[in-house]
Amino acid sequence: MNIEPLAGHPTCWHRAGQGARAALMVHCSLAHSGAWRGLEKRLSDQFTMLAFDLPGHGRSADWDGAGDFQDASVQIAEALLDRETSGPVDLIGHSYGGTIALRLAQRAPKRVRSLTMFEPVLFAAARDHPAYAENAAYMNGPFADAMRSGDRMEAARLFNVMWGRDAAWQALPQSLREDMARRIHLIPAGKPVTHDDIHDQIAPGALERVELPVLLMEGARSPALVGAVHDVLEARLPNVQRHVIGGAGHMAPITHPAEVGDAILAFLRQTAPTRP
């Protein structure tokens, strides 16, 4: 594990696996690169994987709040790829990390061999769906109220419950709940991407130009908004497969790494022959 400046930001990153294919993995909000441990184990024979802690996450330096959070994350990812890889890579992104992986593919498609996104939170794609209005009301109501009052633990609980169940929050160790509460301000920092599409990732023609193979994955128990977003992405991406992980929710890359890993390997066997 290394901590060093990438794009001017002190960043923690690591390498795993010994496979012929190079991959970059981008974790979800409030997690860190260690969340990929189970999936790395599953993919280690096929991939040499890079993973880093997003700004303000894990052991990376705090985000200074300057500019756009996704911009900062993308620049770090590109700096890591520039230094540690020499050819096309497979991108794997979870949740907010999926929006980053997609943007990397949109910015430099020639350096990307395939794109796997597990529930990318591009909610703006489903603005016309009732689930979007429900999500916005929740985030602008109870969640925003907790943030304004300074109750970071309650804000973290509300965010966690939205993506799972209250019982799942109660089952988390207190140390993990406290860690999520410390970082909860990074959730509103993602809103310009998730709800406002500040970088036009879903603008007319933007998805249609992503011609490389895309695997879109979701949990069978995930919120309705996930399916609504995926319906739009599936309709617009020209070379996409969609896969549902039975019995899983939004955190399937952590809770169901074997199933997620097997789906990725099957997707790559079908779409992109292994190249050195």
Side-chain angles (χ1 to χ4, degrees):
M1 190 165 291
N2 309 279
I3 301 178
E4 53 193 308
L6 290 171
H9 188 90
T11 300
C12 179
W13 68 276
H14 71 267
R15 182 184 289 106
Q18 59 280 332
R21 301 178 73 110
L24 176 70
M25 308 170 85
V26 192
H27 66 78
C28 65
S29 296
L30 305 187
H32 53 77
S33 58
W36 294 116
R37 192 171 295 112
L39 193 56
E40 287 171 345
K41 182 177 180 180
R42 195 70 170 188
L43 301 177
S44 62
D45 290 341
Q46 300 295 321
F47 291 91
T48 296
M49 294 159 279
L50 299 171
F52 67 100
D53 293 345
L54 294 173
H57 293 74
R59 297 173 63 190
S60 288
D62 291 340
W63 181 52
D64 61 10
D68 174 64
F69 183 77
Q70 195 202 63
D71 268 342
S73 302
V74 167
Q75 290 162 12
I76 291 168
E78 289 177 335
L80 184 60
L81 289 175
D82 286 344
R83 200 179 67 186
E84 299 297 325
T85 65
S86 58
V89 301
D90 299 290
L91 297 177
I92 302 172
H94 177 205
S95 192
Y96 194 84
T99 77
I100 296 168
L102 174 62
R103 187 138 176 250
L104 289 168
Q106 290 172 319
R107 283 164 62 98
K110 290 184 179 180
R111 78 186 307 172
V112 180
R113 184 162 36 199
S114 74
L115 171 63
T116 294
M117 296 183 287
F118 195 97
E119 302 192 5
V121 287
L122 291 166
F123 301 141
R127 282 194 185 103
D128 296 332
H129 194 278
Y132 177 88
E134 293 173 7
N135 175 274
Y138 187 87
M139 294 302 291
N140 294 330
F143 177 83
D145 290 343
M147 290 295 293
R148 280 191 293 267
S149 70
D151 192 344
R152 299 173 70 90
M153 185 64 75
E154 175 63 4
R157 185 190 72 80
L158 289 167
F159 181 75
N160 186 276
V161 168
M162 182 179 69
W163 287 105
R165 295 168 296 171
D166 190 58
W169 170 257
Q170 297 301 330
L172 291 175
Q174 182 65 21
S175 60
L176 184 52
R177 282 185 262 169
E178 291 173 352
D179 185 71
M180 293 176 69
R182 282 193 298 272
R183 306 178 197 280
I184 195 63
H185 61 285
L186 297 171
I187 297 303
K191 184 177 180 294
V193 168
T194 60
H195 290 76
D196 304 330
D197 191 32
I198 189 176
H199 301 300
D200 291 331
Q201 290 184 266
I202 59 167
L207 293 171
E208 289 77 4
R209 288 190 291 271
V210 181
E211 297 179 345
L212 54 91
V214 177
L215 175 60
L216 196 59
M217 304 182 72
E218 64 203 87
R221 299 173 60 192
S222 292
L225 184 54
V226 167
V229 170
H230 284 196
D231 287 344
V232 174
L233 299 185
E234 183 181 25
R236 293 181 55 190
L237 289 164
N239 188 6
V240 62
Q241 295 185 27
R242 189 166 170 181
H243 186 84
V244 178
I245 302 295
H250 185 63
M251 303 308 291
I254 298 173
T255 62
H256 294 67
E259 293 89 338
V260 171
D262 288 348
I264 292 172
L265 292 174
F267 161 69
L268 294 179
R269 283 195 295 269
Q270 296 170 26
T271 61
T274 300
R275 293 185 294 177

